[in-house]
Structure formats: structure tokens, C-alpha cells
Amino acid sequence: MSHHKHSTKHDIAFGIDIGGSGIKGAPVDLDKGEFAKDRLRIPTPQPATPDAVAKTVAEIVDSFDLDKHVPIGVTFPAVMLHGVAQSAANVDSSWIGTDAQKLFSDATGRRVVAVNDADAAGFAEVAYGAAADVKGVVLIVTLGTGIGSALVVDGHLVPNTELGHLEIDGHDAESRAAESVRDREGLDWEQWAQRLQRYFTVVENLFWPDLIVVGGGVSKHHKNFLPLLDLRTKIVPAKLFNAAGIVGAAALAAEDD
């Protein structure tokens, strides 16, 4: 895989991806953007309170023989302002206002960088995936239960964009165009593509990106809907799929070190 060389002094960083159902972690080879060892997955504790999740994160870190100086990045399904959760999607509402970065650092006894999950996945596509070596403005949009977004400019992340929540035609965009809506409303690919066309047209007119990358599980079926879109911007499917969160968190942690 091509990628821009990271100005990092590390060969390995550790990434952890926190989701509503599972918490997954693996060491990442920063040269290749691939797992250096098989990932470990532990079911997300229920309820997913800060203390319970932090214990699980520590358990994952402890199960790998990591040097003390290996950067650790953790994705979290929330807006993360300087490590503090401002929202809580699919986790316990007690996360709101929690300094996740401090919590995870204390739990592991190491320095941990905490980032939004869509930001991590998007950054991975720029560092190692579908947007490697693309200059300028790249928008990565994840189509799933909702719509996640990451905006990267010349390799630098603009954190916490919430472009799935743009109001378009009087609707919260993700309530019309997310992949879950296609499923729930029984839309065929053409009908859903019309929703995506409207969404991506608004987004490209606001941001004028050089490239749009589409991620999320449905991006595996990109041949069914991307060719139906008529946009000014080149639009391509993501490459890293399920590895993107872990890889992106690791890469962001290494850059931040």
C-alpha cells in the first residue's frame, strides 16, 4: 500500500477501537498500516460505563507485550474535544463530560490519545488507504447506522466534523441517507442513490473536496451505488474496512507523540 511517510519516530503504535458491541485492539505496523499481530476483541461491557470500558481497555493493552513508549490511540463513538467526550453514541450517557484521554491513560499507566471513531477511520484512509498520496482536501464519509465524517487537509485532520447532521431539505441528513435507512425503508440501490446524490451534492458544494472516500460496511457493495452518482468530485470506496479504526487511532497517536 502506498502512503505518505509519517514523520514519526515509531515503527509500531497500538490502536483500540471502542464500539457498542466490541472493543478491539492490535499493534499496528506504521510503515505498512497493517496489524503487526492478530487483534484481540472483548465484548463491550454492559452497561458501558467509563470505569468498565477503561478496565477492558487496560485488559487489552496488558495482553500484548508492549514497550512502555509505544503510542496508544483509542477511538471513541463521540465528539472528542481535546480528549473529553461531548456526546455518547451507543455507550452509557455518563461518558458525557468525561476526560476519556485521562481515564484511559490512568487505567493503562501509559499515555493514551483518544479520538472520534469516524476521524480515526478516515485518517487511516488518508495515511494508508483510498486517499493515500492525495493532496488537498479529502472528505471521508462512513455510511452505516448514521453518517460519520472525517475531513483531512494535506494530511492534517480537522477533528469532530459532524457532517452526517447537516440539515438538508429540512431533515437531519443521516435520517434520510444513512445505510440503516436504506434497510429500514426497503429502498433499492437507485432510490438510495438519489438520497446520496442530494447529500453529496450539498457536501461538495460546501467543501469543494479533491476526493470523497465512502466507508462503512456498505462500501463493499460500491458497484451498486457509486456509479449512479453524478458528482463533480471523484468518489471512491474505502479500502481498510474493519481495520480502519484501529489503524487510524494508532497512526494518530504516533503523530501526536
Side-chain angles (χ1 to χ4, degrees):
M1 281 185 197
S2 69
H3 57 92
H4 65 251
K5 279 283 180 223
H6 284 279
S7 53
T8 171
K9 51 187 184 284
H10 301 280
D11 302 320
I12 297 277
F14 197 81
I16 298 176
D17 196 8
I18 297 176
S21 61
I23 299 178
K24 306 174 287 277
V28 173
D29 177 328
L30 293 171
D31 192 47
K32 298 196 182 96
E34 293 166 4
F35 296 168
K37 292 197 175 96
D38 288 344
R39 62 164 214 188
L40 172 65
R41 181 188 188 276
I42 298 178
T44 305
Q46 301 301 335
T49 59
D51 284 345
V53 171
K55 275 199 189 70
T56 305
V57 165
E59 188 182 336
I60 288 176
V61 170
D62 289 344
S63 63
F64 290 86
D65 184 25
L66 293 181
D67 183 273
K68 267 293 186 205
H69 303 293
V70 170
I72 299 175
V74 174
T75 78
F76 198 74
V79 170
M80 299 296 289
L81 283 188
H82 311 290
V84 179
Q86 306 295 318
S87 58
N90 308 317
V91 288
D92 198 76
S93 60
S94 59
W95 277 99
I96 298 170
T98 296
D99 188 335
Q101 201 151 284
K102 183 178 187 313
L103 180 76
F104 296 140
S105 297
D106 290 348
T108 57
R110 296 159 177 266
R111 184 173 169 278
V112 175
V113 174
V115 295
N116 169 270
D117 53 353
D119 282 346
F123 189 75
E125 291 298 334
V126 173
Y128 305 105
D133 305 319
V134 174
K135 292 263 186 287
V137 178
V138 179
L139 178 65
I140 304 92
V141 174
T142 315
L143 302 172
T145 311
I147 295 178
S149 62
L151 187 64
V152 183
V153 185
D154 289 330
H156 296 283
L157 176 68
V158 180
N160 297 309
T161 53
E162 288 281 295
L163 302 181
H165 295 300
L166 283 173
E167 189 180 306
I168 299 175
D169 302 329
H171 298 278
D172 186 271
E174 69 176 23
S175 72
R176 300 271 300 155
E179 208 272 324
S180 58
V181 177
R182 180 183 74 88
D183 197 39
R184 190 168 66 242
E185 295 187 23
L187 305 175
D188 63 25
W189 293 110
E190 283 79 10
Q191 291 168 315
W192 189 49
Q194 287 175 352
R195 306 266 185 107
L196 293 177
Q197 175 70 35
R198 179 74 186 118
Y199 176 70
F200 284 120
T201 299
V202 168
V203 170
E204 73 172 358
N205 285 337
L206 286 173
F207 293 95
W208 288 80
D210 293 284
L211 178 69
I212 297 172
V213 178
V214 177
V218 76
S219 65
K220 289 188 178 74
H221 306 290
H222 62 91
K223 289 186 176 67
N224 292 324
F225 63 94
L226 287 188
L228 301 175
L229 301 179
D230 179 22
L231 300 170
R232 181 176 60 235
T233 312
K234 185 179 178 188
I235 186 164
V236 299
K239 283 187 177 163
L240 276 85
F241 296 119
N242 298 335
I246 289 175
V247 169
L252 283 166
E255 295 229 323
D256 199 53
D257 196 43

